[in-house]
Amino acid sequence: RTIINLRSNESYAFDHVFEESASNDEVFDELVKDIVHSAVLGFNGTVFAYGQTASGKTHTMMGNGDKCVKGIVQRAVQEIF
């Protein structure tokens, strides 16, 4: 998706925009899994969480500290090993 600011004529591109109800599992499968597999093959990869304060970036990346809600980091390690 691309968003264009009509006032400044700047554009912003996104790989994917998730609904509020999206699970960490959905985010990992849609965006991160391929980056992890490429990194294992020797390519550089970055997963960057961006958003408003209190929008869930830390929860998405780290989970809630409970094994039942794993974050992206734990899922990436699990995918590798």
Side-chain angles (χ1 to χ4, degrees), residues 8-24:
S8 65
N9 204 29
E10 295 175 323
S11 65
Y12 303 91
F14 301 90
D15 292 328
H16 194 89
V17 177
F18 291 94
E19 298 291 330
E20 281 184 52
S21 61
S23 68
N24 289 351

PDB file of all heavy atoms in Angstrom, residues 8-24:
ATOM      1  N   SER A   8       2.265  17.794   0.914  1.00  0.00           N
ATOM      2  CA  SER A   8       3.713  17.831   0.672  1.00  0.00           C
ATOM      3  C   SER A   8       4.136  16.976  -0.518  1.00  0.00           C
ATOM      4  O   SER A   8       5.303  16.958  -0.887  1.00  0.00           O
ATOM      5  CB  SER A   8       4.453  17.346   1.917  1.00  0.00           C
ATOM      6  OG  SER A   8       4.157  15.977   2.146  1.00  0.00           O
ATOM      7  N   ASN A   9       3.197  16.224  -1.091  1.00  0.00           N
ATOM      8  CA  ASN A   9       3.462  15.334  -2.215  1.00  0.00           C
ATOM      9  C   ASN A   9       4.459  14.216  -1.863  1.00  0.00           C
ATOM     10  O   ASN A   9       5.112  13.673  -2.736  1.00  0.00           O
ATOM     11  CB  ASN A   9       3.924  16.112  -3.454  1.00  0.00           C
ATOM     12  CG  ASN A   9       3.651  15.338  -4.725  1.00  0.00           C
ATOM     13  OD1 ASN A   9       2.710  14.550  -4.781  1.00  0.00           O
ATOM     14  ND2 ASN A   9       4.475  15.540  -5.734  1.00  0.00           N
ATOM     15  N   GLU A  10       4.582  13.898  -0.572  1.00  0.00           N
ATOM     16  CA  GLU A  10       5.420  12.778  -0.147  1.00  0.00           C
ATOM     17  C   GLU A  10       4.596  11.500  -0.180  1.00  0.00           C
ATOM     18  O   GLU A  10       3.390  11.521   0.056  1.00  0.00           O
ATOM     19  CB  GLU A  10       5.935  13.017   1.276  1.00  0.00           C
ATOM     20  CG  GLU A  10       6.862  14.201   1.394  1.00  0.00           C
ATOM     21  CD  GLU A  10       7.242  14.467   2.832  1.00  0.00           C
ATOM     22  OE1 GLU A  10       6.387  14.307   3.731  1.00  0.00           O
ATOM     23  OE2 GLU A  10       8.386  14.848   3.062  1.00  0.00           O
ATOM     24  N   SER A  11       5.256  10.401  -0.458  1.00  0.00           N
ATOM     25  CA  SER A  11       4.552   9.122  -0.444  1.00  0.00           C
ATOM     26  C   SER A  11       5.213   8.183   0.554  1.00  0.00           C
ATOM     27  O   SER A  11       6.422   8.255   0.803  1.00  0.00           O
ATOM     28  CB  SER A  11       4.533   8.499  -1.837  1.00  0.00           C
ATOM     29  OG  SER A  11       5.830   8.180  -2.249  1.00  0.00           O
ATOM     30  N   TYR A  12       4.406   7.318   1.134  1.00  0.00           N
ATOM     31  CA  TYR A  12       4.876   6.341   2.113  1.00  0.00           C
ATOM     32  C   TYR A  12       4.393   4.966   1.661  1.00  0.00           C
ATOM     33  O   TYR A  12       3.205   4.780   1.404  1.00  0.00           O
ATOM     34  CB  TYR A  12       4.318   6.670   3.499  1.00  0.00           C
ATOM     35  CG  TYR A  12       4.670   8.072   3.956  1.00  0.00           C
ATOM     36  CD1 TYR A  12       3.818   9.140   3.694  1.00  0.00           C
ATOM     37  CD2 TYR A  12       5.863   8.320   4.609  1.00  0.00           C
ATOM     38  CE1 TYR A  12       4.140  10.430   4.090  1.00  0.00           C
ATOM     39  CE2 TYR A  12       6.192   9.610   5.010  1.00  0.00           C
ATOM     40  CZ  TYR A  12       5.327  10.652   4.753  1.00  0.00           C
ATOM     41  OH  TYR A  12       5.651  11.925   5.143  1.00  0.00           O
ATOM     42  N   ALA A  13       5.318   4.028   1.567  1.00  0.00           N
ATOM     43  CA  ALA A  13       4.967   2.681   1.122  1.00  0.00           C
ATOM     44  C   ALA A  13       5.043   1.708   2.294  1.00  0.00           C
ATOM     45  O   ALA A  13       5.933   1.803   3.143  1.00  0.00           O
ATOM     46  CB  ALA A  13       5.922   2.235   0.019  1.00  0.00           C
ATOM     47  N   PHE A  14       4.095   0.790   2.336  1.00  0.00           N
ATOM     48  CA  PHE A  14       4.023  -0.217   3.384  1.00  0.00           C
ATOM     49  C   PHE A  14       3.970  -1.587   2.736  1.00  0.00           C
ATOM     50  O   PHE A  14       3.306  -1.777   1.718  1.00  0.00           O
ATOM     51  CB  PHE A  14       2.756  -0.028   4.222  1.00  0.00           C
ATOM     52  CG  PHE A  14       2.663   1.317   4.880  1.00  0.00           C
ATOM     53  CD1 PHE A  14       2.047   2.381   4.231  1.00  0.00           C
ATOM     54  CD2 PHE A  14       3.188   1.517   6.136  1.00  0.00           C
ATOM     55  CE1 PHE A  14       1.950   3.615   4.837  1.00  0.00           C
ATOM     56  CE2 PHE A  14       3.106   2.757   6.753  1.00  0.00           C
ATOM     57  CZ  PHE A  14       2.482   3.809   6.100  1.00  0.00           C
ATOM     58  N   ASP A  15       4.649  -2.566   3.328  1.00  0.00           N
ATOM     59  CA  ASP A  15       4.551  -3.938   2.848  1.00  0.00           C
ATOM     60  C   ASP A  15       3.177  -4.511   3.158  1.00  0.00           C
ATOM     61  O   ASP A  15       2.593  -5.236   2.362  1.00  0.00           O
ATOM     62  CB  ASP A  15       5.612  -4.821   3.489  1.00  0.00           C
ATOM     63  CG  ASP A  15       7.006  -4.472   3.027  1.00  0.00           C
ATOM     64  OD1 ASP A  15       7.174  -4.050   1.874  1.00  0.00           O
ATOM     65  OD2 ASP A  15       7.942  -4.609   3.838  1.00  0.00           O
ATOM     66  N   HIS A  16       2.688  -4.176   4.345  1.00  0.00           N
ATOM     67  CA  HIS A  16       1.397  -4.719   4.768  1.00  0.00           C
ATOM     68  C   HIS A  16       0.881  -3.887   5.925  1.00  0.00           C
ATOM     69  O   HIS A  16       1.659  -3.406   6.733  1.00  0.00           O
ATOM     70  CB  HIS A  16       1.558  -6.172   5.219  1.00  0.00           C
ATOM     71  CG  HIS A  16       0.280  -6.905   5.347  1.00  0.00           C
ATOM     72  ND1 HIS A  16      -0.280  -7.581   4.305  1.00  0.00           N
ATOM     73  CD2 HIS A  16      -0.568  -7.057   6.382  1.00  0.00           C
ATOM     74  CE1 HIS A  16      -1.409  -8.129   4.700  1.00  0.00           C
ATOM     75  NE2 HIS A  16      -1.603  -7.825   5.967  1.00  0.00           N
ATOM     76  N   VAL A  17      -0.410  -3.739   6.005  1.00  0.00           N
ATOM     77  CA  VAL A  17      -1.052  -3.082   7.138  1.00  0.00           C
ATOM     78  C   VAL A  17      -1.999  -4.101   7.753  1.00  0.00           C
ATOM     79  O   VAL A  17      -2.847  -4.659   7.064  1.00  0.00           O
ATOM     80  CB  VAL A  17      -1.834  -1.823   6.697  1.00  0.00           C
ATOM     81  CG1 VAL A  17      -2.549  -1.200   7.879  1.00  0.00           C
ATOM     82  CG2 VAL A  17      -0.889  -0.820   6.045  1.00  0.00           C
ATOM     83  N   PHE A  18      -1.823  -4.362   9.040  1.00  0.00           N
ATOM     84  CA  PHE A  18      -2.631  -5.367   9.728  1.00  0.00           C
ATOM     85  C   PHE A  18      -3.787  -4.728  10.475  1.00  0.00           C
ATOM     86  O   PHE A  18      -3.687  -3.601  10.951  1.00  0.00           O
ATOM     87  CB  PHE A  18      -1.763  -6.155  10.722  1.00  0.00           C
ATOM     88  CG  PHE A  18      -0.763  -7.037  10.058  1.00  0.00           C
ATOM     89  CD1 PHE A  18       0.521  -6.593   9.826  1.00  0.00           C
ATOM     90  CD2 PHE A  18      -1.103  -8.316   9.658  1.00  0.00           C
ATOM     91  CE1 PHE A  18       1.450  -7.393   9.201  1.00  0.00           C
ATOM     92  CE2 PHE A  18      -0.176  -9.132   9.037  1.00  0.00           C
ATOM     93  CZ  PHE A  18       1.104  -8.668   8.812  1.00  0.00           C
ATOM     94  N   GLU A  19      -4.860  -5.459  10.612  1.00  0.00           N
ATOM     95  CA  GLU A  19      -5.988  -5.046  11.445  1.00  0.00           C
ATOM     96  C   GLU A  19      -5.572  -5.151  12.916  1.00  0.00           C
ATOM     97  O   GLU A  19      -4.637  -5.868  13.255  1.00  0.00           O
ATOM     98  CB  GLU A  19      -7.197  -5.953  11.187  1.00  0.00           C
ATOM     99  CG  GLU A  19      -7.721  -5.907   9.774  1.00  0.00           C
ATOM    100  CD  GLU A  19      -8.361  -4.573   9.441  1.00  0.00           C
ATOM    101  OE1 GLU A  19      -8.908  -3.923  10.345  1.00  0.00           O
ATOM    102  OE2 GLU A  19      -8.293  -4.180   8.262  1.00  0.00           O
ATOM    103  N   GLU A  20      -6.300  -4.474  13.782  1.00  0.00           N
ATOM    104  CA  GLU A  20      -6.033  -4.545  15.223  1.00  0.00           C
ATOM    105  C   GLU A  20      -6.119  -5.970  15.748  1.00  0.00           C
ATOM    106  O   GLU A  20      -5.440  -6.330  16.700  1.00  0.00           O
ATOM    107  CB  GLU A  20      -7.038  -3.699  16.001  1.00  0.00           C
ATOM    108  CG  GLU A  20      -6.755  -2.231  15.999  1.00  0.00           C
ATOM    109  CD  GLU A  20      -7.749  -1.488  16.870  1.00  0.00           C
ATOM    110  OE1 GLU A  20      -7.923  -1.875  18.038  1.00  0.00           O
ATOM    111  OE2 GLU A  20      -8.346  -0.526  16.366  1.00  0.00           O
ATOM    112  N   SER A  21      -6.951  -6.760  15.147  1.00  0.00           N
ATOM    113  CA  SER A  21      -7.194  -8.122  15.625  1.00  0.00           C
ATOM    114  C   SER A  21      -6.130  -9.119  15.162  1.00  0.00           C
ATOM    115  O   SER A  21      -6.183 -10.292  15.544  1.00  0.00           O
ATOM    116  CB  SER A  21      -8.568  -8.592  15.158  1.00  0.00           C
ATOM    117  OG  SER A  21      -8.621  -8.589  13.734  1.00  0.00           O
ATOM    118  N   ALA A  22      -5.157  -8.689  14.372  1.00  0.00           N
ATOM    119  CA  ALA A  22      -4.134  -9.608  13.853  1.00  0.00           C
ATOM    120  C   ALA A  22      -3.300 -10.180  14.998  1.00  0.00           C
ATOM    121  O   ALA A  22      -2.914  -9.467  15.924  1.00  0.00           O
ATOM    122  CB  ALA A  22      -3.235  -8.894  12.864  1.00  0.00           C
ATOM    123  N   SER A  23      -3.010 -11.455  14.926  1.00  0.00           N
ATOM    124  CA  SER A  23      -2.195 -12.112  15.952  1.00  0.00           C
ATOM    125  C   SER A  23      -0.712 -12.014  15.580  1.00  0.00           C
ATOM    126  O   SER A  23      -0.353 -11.757  14.428  1.00  0.00           O
ATOM    127  CB  SER A  23      -2.590 -13.582  16.069  1.00  0.00           C
ATOM    128  OG  SER A  23      -2.210 -14.281  14.891  1.00  0.00           O
ATOM    129  N   ASN A  24       0.145 -12.233  16.572  1.00  0.00           N
ATOM    130  CA  ASN A  24       1.580 -12.257  16.322  1.00  0.00           C
ATOM    131  C   ASN A  24       1.925 -13.363  15.326  1.00  0.00           C
ATOM    132  O   ASN A  24       2.848 -13.223  14.520  1.00  0.00           O
ATOM    133  CB  ASN A  24       2.355 -12.453  17.621  1.00  0.00           C
ATOM    134  CG  ASN A  24       2.303 -11.241  18.523  1.00  0.00           C
ATOM    135  OD1 ASN A  24       1.833 -10.181  18.116  1.00  0.00           O
ATOM    136  ND2 ASN A  24       2.773 -11.383  19.735  1.00  0.00           N
TER     137      ASN A  24
END
